[in-house]
Amino acid sequence: MRRTHILCERGSLSRTSALIALLGITLGSSIAAAQLPGVGLTDGQPSQEPRVVELAPPRLIPIDDRPTSGVRVEGHYRLSADALERPLQEGLRSGLYQQLRLGATIDLGEVQAVASADLLTGTLLGGAYPPPPAIGDHGARYFHPVLGGADQTLAPRELFLRWESPVGRLQAGLQTSHWGLGLLANDGDIDHETMFTQQVGGDRVARLLFATAPFRAMNSRSPLDDLLVAVGADVVIRDENADINAGDRATQAIASVLWRPAPSEVGIYLAYRDQSDRDGSTLNVAAFDLAGNHQFYTPGGTFRFKVAAEAAYLRGETTRADGATPELPVAIDAAGAAAHLEVRHRPSALSLALRSGFASGDSDPRSDNLHRFRFDPNYQAGVLLFDQHLPAYTAASVAGADDPLRAAAPPRGIDNLVETGAVTNTIFALPTLTYAGPAGLEVAAGALLAWSHRPWRDLAASVEAGGQPVGPRGAPDPGSYLGTEALLGASYQHLVSPGLALQYRALAAMFWPGEAFRDHAGRPDARTALLRAHITALW
């Protein structure tokens, strides 16, 4: 999504008064919400063509990108509404939501001050999202009313200083965190949105980061000049695994290496997390994440090709769930990957894009090995299967397993099995055809096809069947095909004034469940549908 920026040149606002104004507003708000910092890693080179199903290239180390001199103010306000048929419920559900995000950057030469926050973000009326368990409340959906909590009323996203030293960049403070396509770390920035996705919340950490290009000082003009290295340390404020305000305590060490020979990027991100949850359980995990992108044109420039990919592997242990031996931690061994390909025919403004991905799953949630990989909830594939269908059936499955008539005490960590919108335990493909017309008009159509990596099962029914998988609706030995989701959308964006743009977007979706959701007699599940509309002001 394109932005317009309002700039105040240095001569129009003194450095001292600007810094005092910025810190005076945002420092008080950050203390009030008890929030702190993430790392925005860097965008690829901006395209001069209309946006067409953006591939969200890896935002890696921001060492090459200097802010514009002066003061840059940006933000957006979004009003959105949706109506849908929710699985396992009769009739329509609808909701009205809003999101307000404000941010500013002050350039003081070698030092920049950056601040941003979400305010009064959440549900205004109704609500179409299944309520999550406390442990699954990741903040990347409109789960709560506007004044329903600290994160809905005021959620600081950034409050940090950046120093361009002679040897590299140093950043310290509250930051958002993003890497690659956003499978593990996703900042929830609306610039990543496509026609069929919406960004809410985002990962935030208190981070100390140092990034440098170690070979540039040699003036050798070799390919190594494009090699960037970063190291850092975090206290996690909010992401899909931790919420500091709810009592979770997570720290992590990070490092990344990025090679940026234009127009390509490829890098590896390493992180080790040590976390203690609000209920006393622990999580110790190492993440290995490889990401990259490339774009090129055919001779004559008729076609443009863009490709981006990310692959992540998790290894560690946790006491969040009981395994076959309850007194021992469960080993974590999980993997996920995604690839995006876009082919654009420039004369016709038509683009064909393909998103595909894999997230490992568990064949037995009570084993000593946890293979379930969940994408960050701000990485989305479709709007019904992962956001509505799986959350409804996994919540029903957990409620059945928690029935005191079936078990004296629920298994530890059972709430972790309720899905809350993340892509998980799946292999999916999402082809999309987009027409980017003149004057800010776009029209797109797509289809999500998804299969399970391991069978989705009803917990209690599978135990009663002697451990054999029983599907969410009672089918013995459920199949792997999760279903087909058809998507149709249109958007229009125009400039109201030099510093203000408006975007209108509408989409419709319908999901036909596959064999994985058949009942004990082999009957298919009912289809579900959704309508959604946005109006967004960007400045």
Side-chain angles (χ1 to χ4, degrees):
M1 180 181 295
R2 289 268 171 86
R3 285 185 182 275
T4 55
H5 299 295
I6 301 173
L7 298 178
C8 300
E9 297 303 327
R10 292 187 180 182
S12 64
L13 184 65
S14 74
R15 295 178 180 177
T16 303
S17 62
L19 184 58
I20 290 174
L22 176 69
L23 296 182
I25 294 172
T26 57
L27 184 58
S29 65
S30 65
I31 293 173
Q35 306 255 341
L36 290 165
V39 65
L41 302 171
T42 120
D43 287 308
Q45 298 179 353
S47 171
Q48 300 304 312
E49 302 176 10
R51 181 187 66 82
V52 182
V53 191
E54 291 293 344
L55 296 177
R59 300 179 65 232
L60 306 175
I61 307 166
I63 192 169
D64 289 337
D65 304 319
R66 297 258 331 199
T68 306
S69 297
V71 178
R72 185 175 75 237
V73 179
E74 64 179 19
H76 69 267
Y77 174 77
R78 169 172 290 170
L79 188 65
S80 60
D82 54 25
L84 63 91
E85 301 167 299
R86 185 188 290 178
L88 303 180
Q89 294 192 2
E90 297 294 332
L92 289 175
R93 301 280 295 182
S94 60
L96 181 67
Y97 318 94
Q98 75 172 13
Q99 182 185 72
L100 173 62
R101 181 167 294 172
L102 301 175
T105 299
I106 300 176
D107 184 11
L108 305 174
E110 292 182 350
V111 177
Q112 297 90 41
V114 181
S116 66
D118 287 343
L119 300 92
L120 302 176
T121 294
T123 303
L124 291 172
L125 295 171
Y129 292 93
I135 197 66
D137 189 1
H138 44 63
R141 299 292 186 275
Y142 297 117
F143 289 137
H144 302 290
V146 164
L147 298 177
D151 261 14
Q152 285 68 51
T153 306
L154 177 60
R157 289 171 53 82
E158 296 171 305
L159 184 64
F160 69 89
L161 293 176
R162 177 168 52 215
W163 175 39
E164 304 289 353
S165 78
V167 294
R169 170 176 290 184
L170 183 66
Q171 291 185 180
L174 175 64
Q175 301 165 53
T176 55
S177 183
H178 194 100
W179 175 266
L181 298 175
L183 270 60
L184 282 182
N186 197 308
D187 60 8
D189 195 313
I190 67 169
D191 285 345
H192 306 316
E193 287 186 349
T194 67
M195 185 71 74
F196 305 123
T197 64
Q198 63 176 0
Q199 303 286 285
V200 180
D203 297 352
R204 292 166 284 152
V205 295
R207 173 168 288 173
L208 178 63
L209 175 76
F210 177 71
T212 186
F215 296 99
R216 288 187 183 173
M218 300 171 62
N219 294 319
S220 60
R221 295 188 178 180
S222 74
L224 291 178
D225 289 352
D226 297 316
L227 188 70
L228 310 177
V229 179
V231 293
D234 298 343
V235 174
V236 179
I237 303 304
R238 183 76 185 270
D239 64 12
E240 68 275 16
N241 275 301
D243 182 355
I244 196 170
N245 289 332
D248 301 327
R249 299 293 180 263
T251 58
Q252 58 188 25
I254 63 168
S256 62
V257 178
L258 170 67
W259 188 42
R260 300 183 69 181
S264 304
E265 290 184 335
V266 61
I268 186 168
Y269 171 78
L270 309 173
Y272 180 78
R273 174 176 290 205
D274 182 4
Q275 179 169 329
S276 297
D277 292 336
R278 67 201 77 171
D279 62 0
S281 58
T282 61
L283 172 67
N284 302 96
V285 63
F288 308 87
D289 194 331
L290 180 67
N293 68 55
H294 178 66
Q295 85 169 26
F296 63 94
Y297 293 83
T298 57
T302 302
F303 288 93
R304 184 192 68 193
F305 290 80
K306 296 175 70 175
V307 61
E310 181 178 356
Y313 175 67
L314 303 178
R315 184 72 178 179
E317 63 179 27
T318 183
T319 61
R320 286 180 167 182
D322 287 338
T325 310
E327 62 271 16
L328 297 178
V330 173
I332 298 172
D333 183 14
H340 297 180
L341 171 66
E342 179 195 310
V343 181
R344 171 176 166 80
H345 184 247
R346 299 173 72 198
S348 67
L350 284 172
S351 292
L352 180 63
L354 175 65
R355 287 185 171 217
S356 59
F358 163 77
S360 59
D362 282 311
S363 56
D364 182 359
R366 295 295 304 276
S367 73
D368 286 333
N369 292 284
L370 179 65
H371 300 294
R372 182 179 64 246
F373 187 100
R374 284 186 174 126
F375 287 14
D376 186 286
N378 267 313
Y379 181 101
Q380 296 155 23
V383 296
L384 284 169
L385 170 59
F386 297 106
D387 263 355
Q388 300 291 337
H389 220 78
L390 286 173
Y393 277 106
T394 53
S397 173
V398 166
D402 198 10
D403 187 343
L405 297 178
R406 283 175 157 162
R412 180 175 53 172
I414 191 170
D415 282 350
N416 283 303
L417 300 178
V418 177
E419 296 304 325
T420 55
V423 174
T424 185
N425 186 22
T426 190
I427 302 166
F428 73 87
L430 176 54
T432 305
L433 180 65
T434 300
Y435 169 68
L441 175 67
E442 286 188 18
V443 180
L448 173 70
L449 299 92
W451 297 260
S452 62
H453 175 233
R454 296 286 185 253
W456 286 95
R457 60 174 67 197
D458 181 273
L459 299 175
S462 297
V463 170
E464 292 168 357
Q468 294 299 314
V470 175
R473 296 183 63 239
D477 192 21
S480 62
Y481 189 58
L482 297 174
T484 304
E485 187 171 324
L487 302 126
L488 182 65
S491 70
Y492 174 69
Q493 182 168 317
H494 67 100
L495 200 63
V496 177
S497 69
L500 178 65
L502 290 179
Q503 188 201 58
Y504 312 89
R505 192 195 318 172
L507 70 89
M510 187 168 290
F511 176 63
W512 292 270
E515 60 188 8
F517 294 100
R518 293 185 180 274
D519 66 10
H520 64 281
R523 293 184 292 261
D525 195 7
R527 62 109 181 96
T528 54
L530 174 142
L531 295 174
R532 176 175 293 161
H534 299 299
I535 179 171
T536 308
L538 304 108
W539 56 87

Short mmCIF file of all heavy atoms in Angstrom, two decimals, residues 13 28 61 80 85 109 150 194 230 263 266 284 330 381 393 416 423 439 441 452 455 493 501 508:
data_model
loop_
_atom_site.label_atom_id
_atom_site.label_comp_id
_atom_site.label_asym_id
_atom_site.label_seq_id
_atom_site.Cartn_x
_atom_site.Cartn_y
_atom_site.Cartn_z
N LEU A 13 11.18 23.82 11.87
CA LEU A 13 10.95 23.31 13.22
C LEU A 13 12.30 23.05 13.84
O LEU A 13 13.10 22.30 13.29
CB LEU A 13 10.14 22.00 13.18
CG LEU A 13 9.74 21.39 14.53
CD1 LEU A 13 8.79 22.35 15.26
CD2 LEU A 13 9.06 20.05 14.31
N GLY A 28 5.27 9.43 27.73
CA GLY A 28 4.22 9.27 28.71
C GLY A 28 3.27 8.15 28.34
O GLY A 28 2.84 7.38 29.19
N ILE A 61 18.13 -5.56 7.48
CA ILE A 61 18.85 -4.59 8.29
C ILE A 61 18.73 -3.21 7.67
O ILE A 61 19.13 -3.01 6.53
CB ILE A 61 20.32 -4.99 8.41
CG1 ILE A 61 20.41 -6.45 8.89
CG2 ILE A 61 21.06 -4.07 9.35
CD1 ILE A 61 21.79 -7.04 8.73
N SER A 80 -13.53 -0.52 9.29
CA SER A 80 -13.83 -1.73 8.53
C SER A 80 -15.04 -2.44 9.10
O SER A 80 -15.38 -2.29 10.28
CB SER A 80 -12.62 -2.68 8.51
OG SER A 80 -12.26 -3.07 9.82
N GLU A 85 -20.94 -16.06 7.84
CA GLU A 85 -21.58 -17.23 8.42
C GLU A 85 -20.49 -17.98 9.19
O GLU A 85 -19.55 -18.49 8.59
CB GLU A 85 -22.15 -18.12 7.33
CG GLU A 85 -23.19 -17.43 6.45
CD GLU A 85 -23.49 -18.24 5.21
OE1 GLU A 85 -22.56 -18.47 4.42
OE2 GLU A 85 -24.65 -18.65 5.05
N GLY A 109 20.27 14.59 12.17
CA GLY A 109 21.59 14.37 11.59
C GLY A 109 22.03 12.94 11.77
O GLY A 109 21.48 12.04 11.16
N ALA A 150 -5.53 -2.50 27.71
CA ALA A 150 -4.44 -1.56 27.46
C ALA A 150 -4.05 -1.53 25.99
O ALA A 150 -3.83 -0.45 25.42
CB ALA A 150 -3.23 -1.93 28.33
N THR A 194 -2.01 -7.14 1.11
CA THR A 194 -2.46 -7.39 -0.24
C THR A 194 -3.99 -7.25 -0.26
O THR A 194 -4.60 -6.90 0.76
CB THR A 194 -2.05 -8.80 -0.72
OG1 THR A 194 -2.78 -9.77 0.05
CG2 THR A 194 -0.56 -9.03 -0.54
N ALA A 230 24.22 -7.97 11.71
CA ALA A 230 23.56 -7.34 12.85
C ALA A 230 23.51 -8.30 14.02
O ALA A 230 23.35 -9.51 13.84
CB ALA A 230 22.15 -6.89 12.47
N PRO A 263 19.46 -6.44 -7.78
CA PRO A 263 18.20 -6.24 -7.08
C PRO A 263 17.79 -7.45 -6.23
O PRO A 263 16.62 -7.82 -6.20
CB PRO A 263 17.22 -6.05 -8.24
CG PRO A 263 17.76 -7.01 -9.28
CD PRO A 263 19.25 -7.01 -9.13
N VAL A 266 19.36 -11.81 0.20
CA VAL A 266 19.27 -13.12 0.84
C VAL A 266 19.94 -13.01 2.19
O VAL A 266 21.00 -12.38 2.33
CB VAL A 266 19.91 -14.23 -0.02
CG1 VAL A 266 21.40 -13.97 -0.25
CG2 VAL A 266 19.69 -15.61 0.62
N ASN A 284 12.03 -22.74 25.74
CA ASN A 284 13.41 -22.48 25.35
C ASN A 284 13.58 -23.00 23.93
O ASN A 284 13.49 -24.19 23.68
CB ASN A 284 14.39 -23.18 26.28
CG ASN A 284 14.22 -22.76 27.73
OD1 ASN A 284 13.55 -23.44 28.49
ND2 ASN A 284 14.79 -21.64 28.11
N VAL A 330 8.63 -31.25 26.68
CA VAL A 330 8.35 -31.75 25.34
C VAL A 330 9.36 -31.12 24.38
O VAL A 330 9.61 -29.92 24.43
CB VAL A 330 6.91 -31.37 24.93
CG1 VAL A 330 6.65 -31.72 23.47
CG2 VAL A 330 5.90 -32.07 25.83
N ALA A 381 -3.34 -16.46 4.83
CA ALA A 381 -3.66 -17.17 3.59
C ALA A 381 -5.17 -17.39 3.58
O ALA A 381 -5.68 -18.27 4.27
CB ALA A 381 -2.92 -18.50 3.52
N TYR A 393 -13.69 -25.22 15.15
CA TYR A 393 -13.66 -26.66 15.41
C TYR A 393 -12.63 -27.03 16.47
O TYR A 393 -12.85 -27.95 17.26
CB TYR A 393 -13.41 -27.42 14.11
CG TYR A 393 -14.68 -27.61 13.33
CD1 TYR A 393 -14.93 -26.87 12.17
CD2 TYR A 393 -15.66 -28.50 13.75
CE1 TYR A 393 -16.11 -27.03 11.46
CE2 TYR A 393 -16.83 -28.68 13.06
CZ TYR A 393 -17.07 -27.94 11.91
OH TYR A 393 -18.24 -28.09 11.21
N ASN A 416 -3.58 -24.40 24.29
CA ASN A 416 -2.68 -24.11 23.18
C ASN A 416 -3.14 -24.76 21.88
O ASN A 416 -2.63 -24.41 20.80
CB ASN A 416 -1.26 -24.60 23.50
CG ASN A 416 -0.54 -23.66 24.45
OD1 ASN A 416 -0.38 -22.48 24.16
ND2 ASN A 416 -0.11 -24.19 25.58
N VAL A 423 -1.69 -19.68 10.27
CA VAL A 423 -1.51 -20.76 9.30
C VAL A 423 -0.70 -21.85 9.98
O VAL A 423 0.41 -21.61 10.47
CB VAL A 423 -0.78 -20.25 8.04
CG1 VAL A 423 -0.47 -21.39 7.10
CG2 VAL A 423 -1.63 -19.19 7.34
N ALA A 439 -5.49 5.16 -12.42
CA ALA A 439 -6.05 6.02 -11.36
C ALA A 439 -6.34 5.27 -10.08
O ALA A 439 -7.33 5.52 -9.40
CB ALA A 439 -7.33 6.70 -11.86
N LEU A 441 -7.11 2.02 -9.36
CA LEU A 441 -8.09 0.94 -9.29
C LEU A 441 -7.39 -0.41 -9.40
O LEU A 441 -6.51 -0.61 -10.23
CB LEU A 441 -9.10 1.07 -10.42
CG LEU A 441 -10.12 -0.08 -10.57
CD1 LEU A 441 -11.05 -0.11 -9.36
CD2 LEU A 441 -10.90 0.05 -11.87
N SER A 452 -3.99 -30.75 4.91
CA SER A 452 -3.34 -30.86 6.21
C SER A 452 -2.05 -31.67 6.08
O SER A 452 -1.97 -32.61 5.28
CB SER A 452 -4.27 -31.52 7.23
OG SER A 452 -4.59 -32.84 6.83
N PRO A 455 -3.33 -35.28 10.16
CA PRO A 455 -4.80 -35.19 10.27
C PRO A 455 -5.24 -34.26 11.39
O PRO A 455 -4.71 -34.32 12.51
CB PRO A 455 -5.22 -36.64 10.56
CG PRO A 455 -4.10 -37.49 10.07
CD PRO A 455 -2.86 -36.68 10.28
N GLN A 493 -7.76 3.74 -4.71
CA GLN A 493 -7.03 4.68 -3.88
C GLN A 493 -6.81 5.97 -4.64
O GLN A 493 -6.47 5.95 -5.83
CB GLN A 493 -5.68 4.08 -3.46
CG GLN A 493 -4.86 4.98 -2.54
CD GLN A 493 -3.68 4.25 -1.92
OE1 GLN A 493 -3.79 3.11 -1.49
NE2 GLN A 493 -2.52 4.89 -1.89
N ALA A 501 -4.24 10.50 1.54
CA ALA A 501 -4.83 9.61 0.54
C ALA A 501 -5.94 8.80 1.18
O ALA A 501 -5.92 8.51 2.38
CB ALA A 501 -3.75 8.67 -0.03
N ALA A 508 -15.08 -10.37 -1.06
CA ALA A 508 -16.05 -11.43 -0.77
C ALA A 508 -15.31 -12.75 -0.83
O ALA A 508 -14.41 -12.94 -1.65
CB ALA A 508 -17.19 -11.40 -1.78
#
